[in-house]
Amino acid sequence: MTKRFSALAVSAAIVGGLFITSAPAQAAPSAGQSKVSAKAAITCNPSQMRQQIAALKSKAAKLKQLGEPAAARKALNEAAALQKRLDACIKADEDASKPFPG
């Protein structure tokens, strides 16, 4: 009787553990689905981004002239990050316009 009870308890624990580990994976959305929805929400305005980059660069030059090298470096880093995003937006627009990118 005790062998049956311990075997039943072990098998129940295994099934319960299997159920617990498999349930969250089925309930969570796949990474590809969330990535697609995030991409669809991004919009780019190249002219506005170029204006922001120019403003940040002039701000950096002004700060450097005033003797604030750390703040100037920060403004230049922000301009570089914005430029990188602008390049990515332009590349995405070019790739999207091609019927078979590659």
Side-chain angles (χ1 to χ4, degrees):
M1 179 88 164
T2 36
K3 287 183 181 180
R4 285 185 197 162
F5 182 71
S6 61
L8 183 62
V10 168
S11 63
I14 290 172
V15 170
L18 183 65
F19 177 71
I20 289 173
T21 57
S22 66
Q26 293 170 353
S30 67
Q33 291 174 346
S34 63
K35 188 176 182 182
V36 170
S37 64
K39 276 188 170 182
I42 296 174
T43 58
C44 294
N45 187 349
S47 61
Q48 183 183 14
M49 292 174 90
R50 286 188 182 103
Q51 287 176 351
Q52 290 175 345
I53 291 168
L56 284 169
K57 285 182 178 180
S58 70
K59 179 182 174 183
K62 190 175 185 179
L63 287 169
K64 187 176 180 182
Q65 193 176 33
L66 292 173
E68 297 288 335
R73 197 173 319 117
K74 182 180 175 185
L76 282 176
N77 287 340
E78 289 176 12
L82 197 57
Q83 181 67 47
K84 188 175 180 180
R85 235 183 335 174
L86 175 64
D87 294 340
C89 285
I90 292 170
K91 185 178 183 312
D93 286 343
E94 288 173 358
D95 289 346
S97 65
K98 297 177 186 175
F100 299 106

